[in-house]
Amino acid sequence: VLFHEILSHPLEAGEASPLAALEQARLAIPELDVRDDPARLDLFGGYERDDEGVKPRTVKLLDGGRLAGRLLDQAHASPGISNGHARRAGASDAPLPRGSNLVVAGGHATAEEMARRLGNGLWIGELAGGSVDLASGTFRLRFPRARRVRRGRLADECGPGTLSGDILPTLKA
């Protein structure tokens, strides 16, 4: 949900976003790889052809922390270069570039190590949904519960809440 809001939506071609002019820029830690893979039919967002009849291709969004690609349809790509991400919101709507299955490469740190590195903050285990305002570069994510992290250890539980922030500083962090 986090990467869907702060990476996928801003990289849907045609959208004015804080990421639009940052081609190949390092946006995150070098260990972070994120791709959009509509060909993964084992996941909810998979499909064999987009709504323009194009066979979808995997698109690296972040490669080694660098901005690597955009989601394209035929209207926003050079002729014949669509990567198969055109989707209709409804039957009477025109196809637009849309994200599908975001796959974030797994890291090597354990949960305990991540909490230790965090020091103090919130451990959010699940996000319930969110939204992004591309014009301002801000996002909001809802979570059903979280735990405080104090001195690198999980502590007391918190109720539901909303996490909000700016896209670029969040990716960098």
Side-chain angles (χ1 to χ4, degrees):
V1 174
L2 171 70
F3 289 109
H4 173 82
E5 297 300 342
I6 70 171
L7 200 57
S8 184
H9 281 311
L11 292 175
E12 293 168 345
E15 294 295 332
S17 82
L19 305 183
L22 298 176
E23 188 174 330
Q24 295 296 316
R26 179 166 310 281
L27 301 180
I29 60 171
E31 297 83 11
L32 187 58
D33 293 318
V34 181
R35 67 184 195 273
D36 189 288
D37 191 352
R40 290 278 309 265
L41 300 179
D42 60 318
L43 299 175
F44 178 74
Y47 51 90
E48 293 181 16
R49 298 277 177 183
D50 74 0
D51 289 337
E52 294 176 323
V54 176
K55 187 174 179 177
R57 294 194 319 257
T58 299
V59 175
K60 288 184 179 181
L61 302 179
L62 283 181
D63 186 17
R66 290 189 180 281
L67 189 59
R70 294 180 64 88
L71 306 175
L72 303 172
D73 62 356
Q74 291 182 11
H76 294 93
S78 299
I81 308 294
S82 170
N83 52 32
H85 282 80
R87 306 288 295 280
R88 296 177 190 273
S92 62
D93 296 319
L96 295 171
R98 301 283 301 179
S100 62
N101 296 317
L102 280 181
V103 180
V104 180
H108 302 289
T110 65
E112 292 78 20
E113 184 179 347
M114 288 189 287
R116 185 180 48 75
R117 286 183 191 173
L118 177 59
N120 295 302
L122 281 180
W123 184 273
I124 300 172
E126 176 186 354
L127 294 169
S131 62
V132 64
D133 179 355
L134 294 176
S136 68
T138 60
F139 66 91
R140 295 172 49 90
L141 303 169
R142 295 180 317 282
F143 57 89
R145 58 182 274 259
R147 291 184 68 182
R148 293 183 209 281
V149 176
R150 291 197 175 122
R151 290 178 288 222
R153 295 176 186 251
L154 293 178
D156 54 316
E157 228 179 88
C158 305
T162 302
L163 175 69
S164 62
D166 296 315
I167 293 171
L168 289 172
T170 299
L171 282 168
K172 193 165 283 297

